[in-house]
Amino acid sequence: MKKVQVFWGTTLVLLAAGAGGAAPETFTVGTATAERGRMAAGAIRVPAGSDAGYDIPVAVIHGAKPGPVLAVVSGAHGTEYASIIAVETLMGTDPRPAIDPATLSGTVILVPVVNLASFDRLTPHVNPIDNKSMNRFYPGSATGTQTDRASLAMTREVVEKCDHLIDLHGGDLDENLRPYSYWTVTGNQQQDDFSKGMALAFGLDHIIISADRPKDPNASRFLENTASTRGKASITAEAGRSGPVDATDVTALVNGVRGVMAYLKMIPSGPKPVANPIWIEKIVTVAAESDGVFHPSVTRDAQVRAGDLLGTVRDHYYRKIADIRAPEAGTIMFVRALPSLKKGDTVANIGVARK
Ligand SMILES: [Zn+2]
């Protein structure tokens, strides 16, 4: 076997041309070992420590032909359902494989739900076992709580074994969100050009330029950033909102993954890349200054001017506590979907487009 370095971080593993044929080459993630041209399902084991361990579901689709390794992960937040259903859809085999290993070039690693406890207990934002967000503690630690140990298992089994990663999210239970992707700028021009191509290939028409992510691979915090700081061009994308699974959102995410697979030449063709996306260069987060009952005045994707009313905070007697106004003009990337409001909660994220 010889390894050929192509692109930046993309490693093609080529079979040695041996007489008599080598044993079938396999690809293993956690307990899932797929032979060439096959799919296998299994689990990434998170060992017990100061709290319980658990198994993260994973599928490996090992293409018949050589090519890059693409990891697609969702469910760091286990109530961002559209993204979870999108990855599970990509695992489907009935009536035909969503991703056919017989014709695939390369390997796809699919992880639909990292934060199983959140999914099981309908807990937004955090892992209810240790109250930590499962997209803030990468690259993880063997001695921390469940989120730290799960993050380390994901780093070792998924990030280190892939060439490119797509981390899927969506509006959580309290977020009425319009779809968008993130393009992370690392400062490595070649890698950034390549990941920009991935974001365009994913097809969502709003792309947030993310230039403030940590540069240290040992303090990478986010899953996608754990791959990006290891030289692996990667993106994050979000679709879905506040609970119900909308088929439009699932389709956008599934088509996005297919678009990136076509860009990576893993499949011969895919959905068209987005032609003229809106590049968001700044996100203005508006936070609540008091507890109360939130009454939104805008919906997702609305265009607001500085000073426009975003919503009103009332008490349980319907008395007004405060009006909340937009500090800057922009697009409502998401607005709070639920009336429950605590001081410090995000009321809205406003995206400011690049001029
Ligand atoms: Zn999320």
Side-chain angles (χ1 to χ4, degrees):
M1 201 192 288
K2 94 177 165 165
K3 283 188 157 193
V4 180
Q5 193 73 27
V6 296
F7 298 126
W8 21 94
T10 302
T11 307
L12 288 182
V13 180
L14 302 180
L15 278 171
E25 203 190 339
T26 60
F27 195 100
T28 298
V29 178
T31 65
T33 297
E35 295 179 0
R36 249 193 205 295
R38 306 299 285 266
M39 171 171 168
I44 296 166
R45 295 245 148 97
V46 179
S50 58
D51 45 22
Y54 72 108
D55 285 353
I56 300 171
V58 63
V60 178
I61 304 166
H62 192 31
K65 294 178 269 185
V69 179
L70 173 66
V72 184
V73 179
S74 63
H77 305 124
T79 45
E80 294 173 356
Y81 296 115
S83 56
I84 293 167
I85 300 302
V87 176
E88 293 178 356
T89 301
L90 288 164
M91 287 185 183
T93 56
D94 183 24
R96 63 187 68 80
I99 298 172
D100 187 355
T103 57
L104 177 69
S105 299
T107 306
V108 179
I109 301 168
L110 297 172
V111 180
V113 197
V114 176
N115 191 347
L116 266 184
S118 154
F119 182 91
D120 289 345
R121 300 188 197 176
L122 278 74
T123 309
H125 303 298
V126 298
N127 176 355
I129 303 295
D130 55 14
N131 221 29
K132 291 176 176 173
S133 168
M134 293 198 81
N135 196 28
R136 292 295 183 281
F137 292 88
Y138 282 95
S141 149
T143 55
T145 58
Q146 190 181 80
T147 293
D148 301 287
R149 301 195 309 279
S151 300
L152 181 63
M154 288 292 295
T155 298
R156 288 184 175 160
E157 289 299 318
V158 178
V159 175
E160 290 178 2
K161 292 180 179 179
C162 77
D163 299 309
H164 303 284
L165 183 142
I166 304 174
D167 190 18
L168 297 181
H169 290 257
D172 214 323
L173 290 179
D174 55 354
E175 294 168 346
N176 182 12
L177 177 144
R178 66 109 52 237
Y180 51 83
S181 52
Y182 292 89
W183 170 46
T184 297
V185 178
T186 64
N188 175 334
Q189 185 75 43
Q190 272 194 324
Q191 183 180 332
D192 294 348
D193 287 348
F194 197 83
S195 60
K196 186 179 188 179
M198 290 173 69
L200 293 170
F202 198 92
L204 298 180
D205 64 359
H206 282 55
I207 303 174
I208 297 173
I209 304 168
S210 195
D212 55 354
R213 291 283 157 106
K215 307 283 190 229
D216 178 0
N218 297 315
S220 51
R221 292 192 77 208
F222 308 91
L223 174 63
E224 181 236 288
N225 201 47
T226 306
S228 295
T229 53
R230 282 160 179 74
K232 300 162 188 250
S234 299
I235 59 167
T236 299
E238 307 213 27
R241 56 199 152 109
S242 37
V245 177
D246 184 331
T248 311
D249 293 320
V250 175
T251 301
L253 295 175
V254 167
N255 284 344
V257 171
R258 287 193 202 289
V260 172
M261 288 174 68
Y263 176 72
L264 297 173
K265 300 189 167 48
M266 301 176 78
I267 54 176
S269 63
K272 279 200 171 119
V274 59
N276 292 302
I278 292 171
W279 296 94
I280 303 291
E281 66 178 3
K282 186 167 84 165
I283 292 289
V284 179
T285 297
V286 183
E289 290 177 0
S290 56
D291 294 2
V293 182
F294 180 61
H295 297 259
S297 305
V298 293
T299 190
R300 66 189 188 125
D301 212 28
Q303 299 299 316
V304 295
R305 294 160 303 179
D308 281 358
L309 189 65
L310 300 178
T312 304
V313 184
R314 296 182 180 276
D315 64 13
H316 285 300
Y317 302 91
Y318 205 74
R319 291 177 300 211
K320 188 193 282 189
I321 297 171
D323 283 333
I324 301 180
R325 296 187 178 277
E328 284 193 51
T331 303
I332 299 295
M333 307 302 280
F334 70 82
V335 59
R336 188 163 193 82
L338 303 179
S340 308
L341 190 70
K342 287 265 171 263
K343 185 179 178 185
D345 283 349
T346 301
V347 166
N349 262 5
I350 301 172
V352 181
R354 191 166 67 187
K355 297 282 188 299

